[in-house]
Amino acid sequence: MTGAAHGAAPADIAAPGRRWWSPRYLLIVGILLYGGIAVYMGVDRVGAALLTIQPLPFAAMMASLAFAMGVRALKWRLALGPRQDSTALFFIAKGVGDWSPGRVGEFSPLLVRRHRSARLGAWIAYDRLLEVVVTAAMGLFGLALIGWIPWGIAVAAFLAGLLAASGVLWWLGRIEEKSSSTISRSPGVFARLFAIARTLRREAASLATAMPFILPLTILGKASDLLSVWLLFVAFGERIQVPLIMVTRCARAVLASVPITADQTGVPHATELGIINEVAGIPGPTIWAALLAEIVAYSAVFWPLFAFAIWRYRQPETPA
């Protein structure tokens, strides 16, 4: 592969259509929501709360965000292997996913022609499923730790989710077992679908061998996310219980996965901070100042790393 082709990846990604759920329209909704709440809280009070931020815990919070991103990039490298531009693909998936309804943009690396493969598709789906399971467990156990639900219900709900996921995997296994005879009897389009399902299942099965490394890294990344939220409120002189952060992060993730309440609309963030305001009793202006600080911190950490990863991806390949 030539260096020019290597550097043309962003052009391979199709531009989104101008639909009502286009990120630009959802972003307008988010700006209006953020602005409206800031005016309701009092812009001067939010500004005064911002001035109380403590630099040291805020810097530690940014370091925790960077660490979480590094852990997730490492997962991609372990799953895809060396010399697969895994870091750049991770940041493409993360960046486009954050700006797409329902986070469907996390599959955007498949639009990069030189990396369009069954293994990459299987890994993205596998990683999404793993993140969902860990996030759901985090939310359920957070609810139990706070005392909002009994531990028995939390464990039962978690096991029911695992059983459902296992059922899906079993069903895919049955497709693989029967696919050879089914493909020979199916029309062209169904034959291709069965063949794709079989290939994805085989790739997912091969990824399972990396589970002893990937699962702990997934949990570590989530733990780092929780730590960053805790440090964020410490920077404003507030203390918040970790189980409450576990619940609010889960609620935010659920809402962000719904197209009409994607991250750009501001609904997931507003819901998360509204729960913190009600339960922890942290003043509204402080919470809204924390949201603004989190957006600035995340942007300051993520986008330079994104730009560096893409820059590295564009560099010509050097001979071995």
Side-chain angles (χ1 to χ4, degrees), residues 94 102 169:
K94 181 69 173 170
L169 295 176

Side-chain angles (χ1 to χ4, degrees), residues 138 221-231 242 245-246 249:
M138 179 180 72
K222 289 292 182 184
S224 187
D225 288 339
L226 299 177
L227 177 61
S228 69
V229 178
W230 186 81
L231 288 169
V242 173
I245 302 174
M246 295 165 67
R249 281 281 139 156

Side-chain angles (χ1 to χ4, degrees), residues 65-67 69-70 87 91 299-311:
L65 285 175
F67 179 77
M69 293 176 195
T87 301
F91 279 102
S299 299
V301 172
F302 177 80
W303 292 111
L305 292 175
F306 175 90
F308 178 74
I310 298 301
W311 175 80

